[in-house]
Amino acid sequence: MGGAFCGDPEGWGPLSPTGRSDFTPCFLDATIDFVSLAIIVLGSFQIFWLSRKKAYPSENGEDNWWYIGGKNLGYWSKLILVGVTIVATSLLASLQIGYSPSWPHEISFWTPVLSCIGLGVAFSIHHLEYYRSRVANGVLLFYWLFFIITHGIRLRSSVVLRDDHGHLPRLVALAVIETAGIAVFLLELMAPQSKSDYGEIGDEEVENECPIETANVFSRLTFGWMTPIMKEGYSKFLTEDDLWSLRKSDSTLTTSDDFNQAWETQLQKENPSIWIALFTAFGGPYFKGALFKVVHDILAFVQPQLLRLIISFVASYNFGNDPQPLVRGIAIATAMFATSLIQTVALHQYFQHAFETGMRIKSSLTAAIYKKSMRLSNEGRAAKSTGEIVNLQAVDTQRLQDITQYGQQLWSAPFQIVLCMLSLYQLLGPSMFAGIAAMLVMIPINGIIARLMKKLQKTQMKNKDSRTRLMTEILANMKSIKLYGWGTPFKAKLDHVRNDQELYTLKKIGVAQAFSSFTWSSTPFLVSCSTFAVFVFTQDKPLTTEIVFPALTLFNLLTFPLSVLPMVITAVVEAGVAVGRITSFLTAEELQVDAVVREAPAVNIGDEALRVTNGTFTWNRAEIGKNALNNINFTANKGELNCVLGKVGAGKSSLLQALLGDLWKVNGQVVLKGSTAYVAQQAWVMNASVRENIVFGHRFDPEFYQKTVRACALLEDFDALPDGDETQVGEKGISLSGGQKARLTLARAVYARADIYLLDDPLSAVDQHVGRHLIDNVLGQNGLLAGKTRILATNSIPVLREANYIHLLTKGEIIESGDYDSVMAMKGGIYNIIRHMKDSRDQEFSEKGKVKWSVYGEYAKASNLFAVAVYMLFLLGAQAASVGGNVWLKQWAESNSEKRENAHVGKYIGIYFAFGIGAAALVVLQTMILWVFCAVEAARKMHDKMAVAIFRSPMQFFETTPAGRILNRFSSDIYRIDEVLCRCFNMLFQNSAKSIATIVIISVATPPFIALAIPLGCLYLYIQRYYLRTSRELKRLDSVSRSPIYAHFQESLGGISTIRAYQQQSRFINENEWRVDANLRAYFPSINANRWLAVRLEFIGSIIILGAAGLAITAVASGSNLPAGMVGLTLSYALQITQSLNWIVRQTVEVETNIVSVERVLEYAALPSEAAEIIPNQRPSTSWPAHGAVSFQNYSARYRPGLDLILKDISLDIKPREKIGIVGRTGAGKSSLTLALFRIIEPASGNISIDSVNTSAIGLNDLRQRLAIIPQDASLFEGTVRDNLDPSNVHDDTELWTVLELSNLKEKVSSMDGKLDARVHEGGSNLSVGERALVETDNMLQRTIRDRFRDRTILTIAHRLGELLPFDRIIVLQAGRVAEFDTPAALLENKESQFYSLVKEAGMLEGAGATSS
């Protein structure tokens, strides 16, 4: 009789007791009821959610046959079909009344009733979703899928029971229900939804929308929405235009706002935590991912139970037992397959949520770091170099992004271990506590190693910062390094940091990693060995295959959480260090909020526009008593020009920056009325067009723009530039001369139309006649800024005559003020300075500013091929030992099963122990060889090759390549080569070896599996190739779009004062966010391409499990004597293959991604090189050049191939010890002439000889170290004063002190802590610009040139024409040619000469004539 409420004689089942391969009717009805209850419960929530959404009227299809009454045919079809299904289901209930008199007490009546209620809920959802959802409803899709499956089985059962003979109406009703269900499912899955505006009011239509927004639940679970771009990437090379727009939730604006809100809350606490802020902002999706991880982990432990059942099934066919029904074996195999599929789906949904969270964390922190840098005070800025701040963006945020991938293993791994232990207790009883004891012994050992790893990681991050900082300085000052011939000492300095510090620590990390691998890899074996040993010694029952292989599978499952934990702990350690560094930066000192009070602009000429009252300011408030400015009382009115004078280091620049709020205000008050514009002493130019640099984010006004560029003397420059004002000026304005950059930044200020102008000596970098033009048209009483408040720090005499007031700064205090006439009449400090400036000669030189297999081969060669071969040998040995141990266990278990006892325990345990320890020892050796002999060696060679190539590259490379791009190679790419690539290769090879072992074992056990393995292998490789084409392009787009982020950040750090002064922080922050978003557009499909691939490849893994189980069942059912032990061994390995295939996929992707770094490094290692530094058989004598005769013979040169000649047919003969002045308008070739002497540019034709030695025939070091230059831009390096004066370390202290005395810096250096060994901060930030220039001049102070170097040949480019008059001869250049070459007197006598015109334009004709005569 059937059970209660069943009413069928077969009962609840689930399998029919009559011998037919079918489920019982009551079990099928119960299954259908479960599906109906699910839609009733979940559908109710859907109805509530959809009814709260606003419905929008359709705008489509009024005149289209597809639409009826404003709704499309798909909508009507679904509702009609659901209605038909309800009618047919009601018919089933009524038929049951006729078939059975006890129908109220039978499930067969209530099942159709419950189905009708469920169908009614589905009907409501179908109606509501039409105008309220863009995507097919997920609950409905799953409902109809299970509806079809359950009713399909019910229909088949009805056919088997021959309902067509006695219950034909029921059979027909079931057929109608199944048909309608299939039709509704297909319509819901494929029919288009309404084209209404589904978004919120005000949402803009997104161009090239991301398909995940409209993907249904099946597409999301299988990543089918990625297929279109995968196909596109397979057929063509992807470009940025092929990438989708970001979802709003992924945009940097959104993620940045979310993080900022959470971080502001944390800042209210005493110890703010970035961890908590990140969890608050992005924890939601991460928690959803955790739910998927729970499902995956639980199902992983269902498989060993199913394995135990299938071994029991096979064993029933051995040893003369009663065989179990074949259908039971098929059901178990099917369950193993389904469990594997669900695991795959759950795992990759978890990964998707983890990667998306990581992406949002990185973009939000990148934005936060950028915003913070805009607010950083000088104390905060001094504590962090540009390299360190860029590292926060490039490396530290990446480590926090990486931790999201593995972070959940911190709870998941212990969770898996607990599940494993519970399963083992069920299987082995108290014996498993021996395994727990073995684990507990290993925990403190692993803790010690983890602490050591943390300490080493902290050290390594400091080493990376040092190298990045040094590399940043080298790149920023490469021209100076080449001009002075300092390449060798700086390369040695870089090698010291790289080899003696960074790689030395990396070796230590490798050794620690090897011992960590041993402890973790040996733990599962020790657990199994101790458990089995205790079992056989304490239990009476034999250790059989039904116990061994489920236990072995559980021990294999234990391997993953235990092996991944060290990697997770390492990642957490790295992330913890990164969080500490980012926290330190985000909590660093910010600009003083009340440093400057801003008020409404002054309206009338003469109204007060700026006021400083009793102001005392310091660069670092921690240094008490060391104030930059003291007791400043200063007022400026609208329409006035106030000039600030002072010697080098007196505080002129400090005063302007105090007015901007960049200095810490100790006391007093600063009031600015209106907006500000600022021109820094060192011109800051963006890597953009000339026009974009001038307009600088303001609205473009063509009329005022023309006035501005005319007033700033830029029109002639526009004519000379290849694309006029649309010309891209390059990083740091590399393609512009110093004078052009100065005038461009002045034009930016003028165009801003600000109320107050703070100008830091913009006239110092321009020629004197141009300076006169700027005074007349911009700064003076009739200039464009005549009605504005102007504060000008300067030592230029002509502009002082235009000033309303002149202020003298001495040692940070204003000691004298007045107009020009009054201060000259007083004959005080200002008078003395002006007189001194007239008498002195301020002279200086001007300065113009798929990865191929061969890449893998190069990496292998760099890693030491012999060491690689030994590594592979140990890898295979470790895998063989592991397999050998399991085969030995099989033999032992089979022996015990046959003898019904645990015989020869000592022999079996001893040999098993030897296999396990041998495998663990080989893992240690393999890891140590990989790190110490392969990874570190490759890292050293790769970095060295690239560094040598960079130092030897010609200047044209640095002029055309942004420093951020080069720095990206030395930071991000080198980090991947150092630490990421070897780990990826190790994981790839280990899992590949494990997968091959699995295929071999299954094939040996069931040879027919080979027939399945070959096509599956081909499909595996095909899918991977199909994927790699797209993935490779997406990774390259990701890499290419990442460099501009760092380049823009570095550029912004260099111009922070300017950006703040113009109050343009918001625009630059938005630009940073746009660049990050551009990178995310490539990164998002890139990570999801990995998921697309993994789901498909793991499906192959599930088929392998099904194949192995199915073939084993078929074999035993057909009468073969396949031992249960062999089936257990094959399936225990097959269950691992899905995980192994997943890791192979991930590590293949990671290897492919990170090997791009090797390709990029090799690309730079093969850069074209300058000429040889030394030519052994062409070395000049040690006394060369003894006389200094310089001869140009028909010399022509260009900056780069393909460009016009910049110097044309120059022929000059300069006599020994002659003093030559070089003049010419902007772009005439003045700087190019000096660069030609040093062979920074090489001749296109002709040559230069010095003392009859052809400079092109000797080595560059021999040339450059025998000449000397004073560049226009001061270049200082972080280190000591000694390092900056004498990088090659060839001069003694006496010589260095003599140099400093001549440079007027002896007093300054003597007062510094350490004197010659005093620290100079990055870029010389603890010295003024004037002091930097004096340090850099080495032994050539301008004031002593005439006295000390009478016996030297001197070529000078001077911006002040009057200072050239005492020179022997003057070269006048025009358009790259020598226009005039004669004595100053001769040139001035000729009123048609260009020199005469230049002197006249500068307003110096009268004085020049007197001087020359």
Side-chain angles (χ1 to χ4, degrees):
M1 282 294 291
F5 201 57
C6 175
D8 190 280
E10 292 188 7
W12 289 104
L15 296 177
S16 172
T18 61
R20 63 188 176 89
S21 297
D22 201 357
F23 299 106
T24 65
C26 288
F27 176 75
L28 287 172
D29 283 336
T31 307
I32 292 169
D33 288 345
F34 180 78
V35 174
S36 298
L37 284 170
I39 187 65
I40 291 167
V41 174
L42 298 176
S44 301
F45 288 109
Q46 290 291 306
I47 291 170
F48 175 75
W49 175 67
L50 287 168
S51 61
R52 290 174 63 88
K53 292 186 73 175
K54 184 173 176 60
Y56 291 91
S58 174
E59 299 175 1
N60 301 292
E62 294 300 333
D63 300 318
N64 193 324
W65 69 270
W66 178 252
Y67 286 82
I68 302 171
K71 297 180 175 65
N72 68 35
L73 199 58
Y75 166 83
W76 292 114
S77 300
K78 282 187 282 188
L79 294 193
I80 291 168
L81 286 167
V82 174
V84 169
T85 310
I86 292 172
V87 171
T89 307
S90 303
L91 179 61
L92 273 182
S94 61
L95 287 171
Q96 189 60 30
I97 295 173
Y99 293 148
S100 174
S102 58
W103 58 267
H105 307 292
E106 294 179 2
I107 192 171
S108 54
F109 168 76
W110 292 106
T111 293
V113 173
L114 200 59
S115 290
C116 284
I117 298 171
L119 288 164
V121 172
F123 185 95
S124 302
I125 299 173
H126 277 300
H127 169 67
L128 288 170
E129 72 165 343
Y130 183 72
Y131 284 140
R132 292 171 172 83
S133 176
R134 304 173 63 193
V135 185
N137 191 278
V139 171
L140 282 180
L141 284 172
F142 271 115
Y143 168 67
W144 285 114
L145 177 65
F146 289 117
F147 183 93
I148 292 166
I149 293 170
T150 54
H151 282 81
I153 297 171
R154 186 73 181 85
L155 177 61
R156 175 195 172 276
S157 183
S158 184
V159 171
V160 170
L161 290 170
R162 305 306 298 270
D163 272 2
D164 56 320
H165 283 80
H167 301 92
L168 184 60
R170 181 166 67 184
L171 182 62
V172 172
L174 285 169
V176 169
I177 290 168
E178 179 69 7
T179 306
I182 292 171
V184 175
F185 175 72
L186 293 175
L187 282 168
E188 182 69 12
L189 187 65
M190 294 185 290
Q193 298 291 104
S194 167
K195 302 298 183 185
S196 311
D197 180 2
Y198 296 97
E200 299 296 327
I201 293 176
D203 280 2
E204 295 180 4
E205 187 176 344
V206 178
E207 186 180 354
N208 201 9
E209 184 181 33
C210 182
I212 196 175
E213 300 272 35
T214 53
N216 64 48
V217 66
F218 296 132
S219 181
R220 282 175 177 253
L221 291 176
T222 62
F223 295 87
W225 55 272
M226 279 292 300
T227 302
I229 200 170
M230 302 304 293
K231 287 181 178 177
E232 195 170 6
Y234 186 74
S235 59
K236 69 164 198 171
F237 289 113
L238 295 176
T239 65
E240 287 182 11
D241 295 334
D242 298 315
L243 301 176
W244 309 310
S245 299
L246 279 180
R247 292 180 294 177
K248 187 177 179 181
S249 57
D250 292 331
S251 69
T252 307
L253 179 63
T254 303
T255 58
S256 175
D257 287 345
D258 292 343
F259 174 75
N260 286 343
Q261 288 177 15
W263 181 239
E264 286 300 323
T265 304
Q266 286 300 307
L267 287 175
Q268 310 305 316
K269 302 177 181 178
E270 186 176 347
N271 296 309
S273 168
I274 282 183
W275 289 117
I276 295 174
L278 291 174
F279 184 79
T280 305
F282 309 113
Y286 206 50
F287 178 72
K288 287 181 190 173
L291 297 178
F292 282 108
K293 190 75 171 77
V294 169
V295 171
H296 171 267
D297 291 349
I298 291 172
L299 289 179
F301 292 93
V302 170
Q303 293 285 29
Q305 307 304 325
L306 294 172
L307 175 62
R308 188 178 185 185
L309 293 175
I310 207 165
I311 291 173
S312 175
F313 172 83
V314 173
S316 72
Y317 285 80
N318 300 147
F319 311 123
N321 297 327
D322 291 331
Q324 297 177 12
L326 180 61
V327 68
R328 179 180 174 84
I330 294 170
I332 296 168
T334 305
M336 292 180 84
F337 175 69
T339 301
S340 179
L341 279 183
I342 297 169
Q343 273 185 276
T344 292
V345 168
L347 179 66
H348 293 293
Q349 285 302 307
Y350 151 69
F351 274 131
Q352 188 199 21
H353 284 84
F355 275 103
E356 284 182 9
T357 303
M359 179 177 81
R360 291 169 184 171
I361 284 173
K362 183 175 182 181
S363 66
S364 65
L365 287 176
T366 300
I369 290 166
Y370 189 92
K371 287 177 183 174
K372 179 70 178 186
S373 69
M374 292 285 134
R375 304 191 301 266
L376 212 57
S377 70
N378 281 292
E379 299 99 294
R381 185 70 179 84
K384 298 283 183 184
S385 69
T386 300
E388 286 174 320
I389 299 173
V390 171
N391 248 7
L392 291 176
Q393 261 201 358
V395 177
D396 293 295
T397 58
Q398 183 63 46
R399 286 188 165 164
L400 282 175
Q401 181 177 14
D402 292 343
I403 194 64
T404 59
Q405 301 169 34
Y406 309 111
Q408 301 229 26
Q409 292 294 345
L410 284 176
W411 66 262
S412 176
F415 177 62
Q416 291 175 62
I417 291 167
V418 169
L419 285 177
C420 188
M421 289 304 175
L422 290 173
S423 302
L424 285 168
Y425 186 82
Q426 178 197 14
L427 199 62
L428 297 164
S431 307
M432 53 81 62
F433 287 112
I436 293 178
M439 283 179 59
L440 291 174
V441 168
M442 301 303 288
I443 287 172
I445 298 172
N446 290 316
I448 293 168
I449 294 173
R451 281 196 295 274
L452 174 63
M453 293 282 283
K454 182 174 183 178
K455 184 179 176 183
L456 290 172
Q457 281 295 339
K458 280 188 173 179
T459 304
Q460 189 69 328
M461 286 309 296
K462 288 179 182 175
N463 294 336
K464 283 185 183 299
D465 281 345
S466 299
R467 182 172 57 81
T468 306
R469 194 161 58 239
L470 176 59
M471 202 64 221
T472 303
E473 286 198 315
I474 288 170
L475 293 175
N477 301 292
M478 185 56 81
K479 186 176 281 188
S480 293
I481 290 171
K482 287 187 177 296
L483 288 170
Y484 293 134
W486 284 348
T488 302
F490 274 95
K491 174 65 168 60
K493 201 173 176 183
L494 182 64
D495 286 345
H496 170 68
V497 175
R498 173 67 176 166
N499 298 334
D500 301 340
Q501 294 177 8
E502 195 174 6
L503 292 185
Y504 177 71
T505 306
L506 191 61
K507 277 186 182 179
K508 287 184 176 180
I509 290 172
V511 172
Q513 190 82 40
F515 282 103
S516 178
S517 297
F518 174 77
T519 56
W520 290 106
S521 63
S522 62
T523 299
F525 158 72
L526 291 173
V527 169
S528 65
C529 190
S530 57
T531 302
F532 288 151
V534 171
F535 182 88
V536 295
F537 284 120
T538 60
Q539 302 278 341
D540 292 332
K541 58 182 180 180
L543 188 67
T544 61
T545 53
E546 289 181 44
I547 296 173
V548 165
F549 289 106
L552 198 61
T553 303
L554 289 165
F555 292 139
N556 286 332
L557 287 172
L558 190 62
T559 303
F560 177 74
L562 289 175
S563 63
V564 85
L565 266 179
M567 184 168 65
V568 173
I569 289 171
T570 301
V572 169
V573 166
E574 291 176 353
V577 174
V579 160
R581 287 153 53 88
I582 294 172
T583 304
S584 170
F585 181 75
L586 293 182
T587 55
E589 195 72 54
E590 294 188 3
L591 291 172
Q592 198 174 4
V593 178
D594 61 347
V596 176
V597 177
R598 290 192 176 266
E599 296 181 357
V603 178
N604 301 313
I605 299 294
D607 288 353
E608 182 185 78
L610 182 156
R611 179 177 72 254
V612 182
T613 310
N614 300 323
T616 299
F617 305 89
T618 180
W619 283 104
N620 188 345
R621 62 174 175 162
E623 296 180 352
I624 298 171
K626 288 191 175 182
N627 295 328
L629 298 167
N630 291 292
N631 304 317
I632 301 296
N633 287 283
F634 181 85
T635 304
N637 298 329
K638 182 177 174 64
E640 288 182 352
L641 171 61
N642 283 260
C643 290
V644 181
L645 268 68
K647 293 182 178 179
V648 170
K652 302 187 295 296
S653 298
S654 298
L655 176 62
L656 296 186
Q657 291 191 277
L659 296 176
L660 289 171
D662 284 357
L663 267 67
W664 184 266
K665 184 182 67 178
V666 179
N667 53 52
Q669 185 184 43
V670 180
V671 178
L672 295 183
K673 298 181 179 180
S675 58
T676 52
Y678 173 62
V679 177
Q681 188 167 3
Q682 287 186 304
W684 178 71
V685 181
M686 299 186 298
N687 187 358
S689 70
V690 172
R691 178 182 291 185
E692 286 169 327
N693 269 284
I694 294 171
V695 175
F696 204 59
H698 296 95
R699 182 178 58 82
F700 183 67
D701 178 344
E703 186 179 343
F704 188 71
Y705 178 78
Q706 286 301 318
K707 283 184 181 178
T708 300
V709 296
R710 189 179 298 112
C712 295
L714 284 168
L715 288 175
E716 286 185 17
D717 299 300
F718 288 178
D719 293 338
L721 292 170
D723 297 315
D725 65 351
E726 294 295 338
T727 301
Q728 296 293 312
V729 297
E731 190 173 16
K732 296 184 180 178
I734 198 78
S735 59
L736 302 178
S737 70
Q740 287 172 325
K741 284 189 279 189
R743 285 179 283 118
L744 189 149
T745 54
L746 181 61
R748 175 195 296 156
V750 173
Y751 188 82
R753 287 173 274 199
D755 300 301
I756 300 168
Y757 284 79
L758 306 174
L759 312 168
D760 198 348
D761 207 5
L763 300 176
S764 62
V766 300
D767 295 339
Q768 199 153 359
H769 66 284
V770 177
R772 184 72 256 174
H773 176 93
L774 295 177
I775 293 168
D776 293 340
N777 293 276
V778 179
L779 303 172
Q781 296 174 5
N782 298 314
L784 278 180
L785 302 183
K788 308 289 187 178
T789 308
R790 292 146 288 154
I791 315 298
L792 174 67
T794 186
N795 284 332
S796 168
I797 297 173
V799 76
L800 297 179
R801 298 177 185 273
E802 304 279 341
N804 297 91
Y805 291 97
I806 303 171
H807 310 269
L808 176 62
L809 262 175
T810 301
K811 295 182 179 178
E813 293 190 35
I814 296 177
I815 61 169
E816 189 177 334
S817 297
D819 60 25
Y820 184 81
D821 293 336
S822 63
V823 296
M824 292 303 286
M826 288 165 58
K827 296 190 176 180
I830 296 176
Y831 170 82
N832 290 329
I833 287 177
I834 292 174
R835 188 183 65 178
H836 174 73
M837 286 192 295
K838 283 181 177 178
D839 293 343
S840 68
R841 293 293 180 263
D842 179 29
Q843 301 161 341
E844 58 184 334
F845 283 97
S846 172
E847 177 191 3
K848 187 178 181 237
K850 166 185 170 160
V851 181
K852 295 175 184 174
W853 284 107
S854 59
V855 176
Y856 290 91
E858 287 292 329
Y859 183 69
K861 279 193 280 185
S863 300
N864 184 333
L865 288 172
F866 177 74
V868 171
V870 173
Y871 161 77
M872 296 298 290
L873 197 65
F874 282 142
L875 173 74
L876 294 173
Q879 187 61 45
S882 176
V883 172
N886 292 331
V887 171
W888 183 252
L889 258 185
K890 177 187 84 72
Q891 293 294 112
W892 184 15
E894 286 178 345
S895 171
N896 291 344
S897 298
E898 286 180 24
K899 296 175 181 176
R900 308 285 181 181
E901 63 174 356
N902 297 314
H904 308 296
V905 171
K907 179 183 79 171
Y908 284 113
I909 283 284
I911 294 175
Y912 181 56
F913 183 80
F915 272 119
I917 288 295
L922 287 169
V923 167
V924 172
L925 292 171
Q926 135 199 349
T927 309
M928 198 171 290
I929 288 168
L930 176 72
W931 277 93
V932 177
F933 296 102
C934 296
V936 172
E937 184 68 10
R940 183 186 63 78
K941 288 178 182 173
M942 290 282 174
H943 183 276
D944 191 60
K945 278 184 181 178
M946 183 165 65
V948 167
I950 288 295
F951 274 102
R952 298 288 297 120
S953 291
M955 270 312 297
Q956 68 182 47
F957 170 74
F958 301 98
E959 291 169 355
T960 56
T961 309
R965 190 180 301 166
I966 304 172
L967 201 60
N968 198 17
R969 298 282 206 282
F970 278 93
S971 56
S972 180
D973 288 316
I974 289 295
Y975 162 69
R976 291 173 189 278
I977 291 170
D978 284 358
E979 299 187 39
V980 179
L981 200 51
C982 59
R983 286 179 189 165
C984 295
F985 271 119
N986 193 33
M987 293 290 286
L988 176 63
F989 291 146
Q990 281 183 335
N991 284 285
S992 297
K994 192 182 289 184
S995 298
I996 291 168
T998 301
I999 300 296
V1000 169
I1001 290 168
I1002 298 173
S1003 299
V1004 168
T1006 51
F1009 181 77
I1010 297 171
L1012 180 64
I1014 291 171
L1016 284 180
C1018 294
L1019 179 62
Y1020 185 97
L1021 293 173
Y1022 172 74
I1023 291 173
Q1024 220 172 19
R1025 275 187 59 205
Y1026 187 89
Y1027 153 82
L1028 280 175
R1029 290 194 191 182
T1030 302
S1031 176
R1032 189 181 301 119
E1033 295 310 311
L1034 288 171
K1035 290 292 180 186
R1036 286 203 170 128
L1037 286 171
D1038 172 31
S1039 187
V1040 164
S1041 60
R1042 194 184 302 120
S1043 290
I1045 299 172
Y1046 306 137
H1048 177 251
F1049 188 31
Q1050 204 170 7
E1051 182 176 80
S1052 301
L1053 289 172
I1056 279 178
S1057 292
T1058 301
I1059 295 167
R1060 286 173 184 161
Y1062 288 89
Q1063 296 180 302
Q1064 294 267 337
Q1065 295 98 315
S1066 296
R1067 183 169 74 87
F1068 277 79
I1069 287 168
N1070 291 339
E1071 171 73 10
N1072 177 64
E1073 289 176 355
W1074 181 87
R1075 288 175 186 245
V1076 173
D1077 282 351
N1079 175 244
L1080 294 183
R1081 286 180 63 213
Y1083 178 75
F1084 180 73
S1086 173
I1087 57 174
N1088 285 294
N1090 299 348
R1091 308 275 70 75
W1092 177 92
L1093 174 68
V1095 166
R1096 279 145 188 80
L1097 294 188
E1098 288 181 29
F1099 176 71
I1100 293 174
S1102 300
I1103 292 175
I1104 290 172
I1105 292 171
L1106 181 62
L1111 287 170
I1113 290 163
T1114 306
V1116 295
S1118 63
S1120 74
N1121 290 319
L1122 182 65
M1126 198 64 191
V1127 172
L1129 181 66
T1130 58
L1131 284 175
S1132 65
Y1133 269 93
L1135 287 171
Q1136 297 176 65
I1137 200 166
T1138 301
Q1139 184 172 286
S1140 294
L1141 289 178
N1142 173 38
W1143 276 97
I1144 288 172
V1145 170
R1146 292 183 64 192
Q1147 298 311 317
T1148 301
V1149 170
E1150 289 298 313
V1151 166
E1152 180 79 24
T1153 301
N1154 292 297
I1155 203 73
V1156 170
S1157 293
V1158 175
E1159 184 182 45
R1160 285 155 59 87
V1161 166
L1162 288 174
E1163 177 195 339
Y1164 270 28
L1167 288 171
S1169 176
E1170 284 186 308
E1173 292 183 325
I1174 294 172
I1175 303 174
N1177 58 353
Q1178 291 285 341
R1179 301 204 68 177
S1181 64
T1182 54
S1183 61
W1184 180 87
H1187 306 292
V1190 181
S1191 176
F1192 288 76
Q1193 284 114 25
N1194 301 318
Y1195 184 90
S1196 298
R1198 53 172 54 90
Y1199 278 120
R1200 296 190 296 280
L1203 296 184
D1204 293 337
L1205 292 171
I1206 191 71
L1207 294 174
K1208 303 164 188 172
D1209 201 26
I1210 303 286
S1211 291
L1212 292 169
D1213 281 307
I1214 298 169
K1215 299 168 187 173
R1217 293 177 286 283
E1218 206 172 10
K1219 309 298 180 284
I1220 303 295
I1222 305 171
V1223 298
R1225 298 185 185 277
T1226 299
K1230 304 187 294 294
S1231 300
S1232 305
L1233 203 64
T1234 61
L1235 297 180
L1237 278 170
F1238 286 82
R1239 286 179 62 192
I1240 297 297
I1241 56 175
E1242 294 282 6
S1245 62
N1247 63 74
I1248 302 172
S1249 60
I1250 301 176
D1251 284 357
S1252 302
V1253 173
N1254 184 348
T1255 58
S1256 298
I1258 62 175
L1260 292 179
N1261 272 9
D1262 285 334
L1263 171 66
R1264 291 169 180 171
Q1265 290 179 353
R1266 307 294 180 89
L1267 307 180
I1269 187 170
I1270 306 174
Q1272 185 176 354
D1273 297 329
S1275 299
L1276 280 188
F1277 301 89
E1278 186 175 11
T1280 63
V1281 174
R1282 185 193 305 279
D1283 293 337
N1284 275 278
L1285 291 175
D1286 182 26
S1288 302
N1289 209 18
V1290 295
H1291 298 290
D1292 61 26
D1293 286 10
T1294 307
E1295 292 176 285
L1296 298 183
W1297 281 115
T1298 303
V1299 166
L1300 290 169
E1301 187 175 11
L1302 291 170
S1303 305
N1304 284 341
L1305 277 172
K1306 185 175 181 179
E1307 183 182 345
K1308 168 73 178 179
V1309 174
S1310 298
S1311 67
M1312 295 170 73
D1313 294 337
K1315 297 183 171 55
L1316 284 175
D1317 294 315
R1319 299 298 300 173
V1320 176
H1321 293 168
E1322 183 185 17
S1325 58
N1326 56 335
L1327 301 174
S1328 75
V1329 174
E1331 288 166 344
R1332 288 177 230 168
L1334 291 172
V1335 171
E1336 196 206 30
T1337 58
D1338 203 340
N1339 55 352
M1340 290 178 287
L1341 179 64
Q1342 297 99 319
R1343 184 173 57 82
T1344 60
I1345 286 176
R1346 293 193 314 276
D1347 301 330
R1348 298 281 297 183
F1349 306 131
R1350 288 196 187 92
D1351 58 345
R1352 301 286 189 270
T1353 303
I1354 298 174
L1355 280 72
T1356 301
I1357 301 170
H1359 299 301
R1360 291 156 182 81
L1361 295 174
E1363 294 152 2
L1364 292 174
L1365 299 179
F1367 276 52
D1368 299 318
R1369 286 192 286 175
I1370 304 291
I1371 299 172
V1372 181
L1373 291 173
Q1374 181 181 21
R1377 299 180 186 275
V1378 176
E1380 297 165 359
F1381 185 30
D1382 209 336
T1383 63
L1387 291 173
L1388 285 173
E1389 285 176 10
N1390 181 5
K1391 295 186 179 179
E1392 301 299 320
S1393 73
Q1394 288 193 28
F1395 184 67
Y1396 180 89
S1397 301
L1398 290 170
V1399 174
K1400 184 177 181 181
E1401 286 175 25
M1404 299 179 59
L1405 199 55
E1406 186 177 340
T1411 306
S1412 62
S1413 61

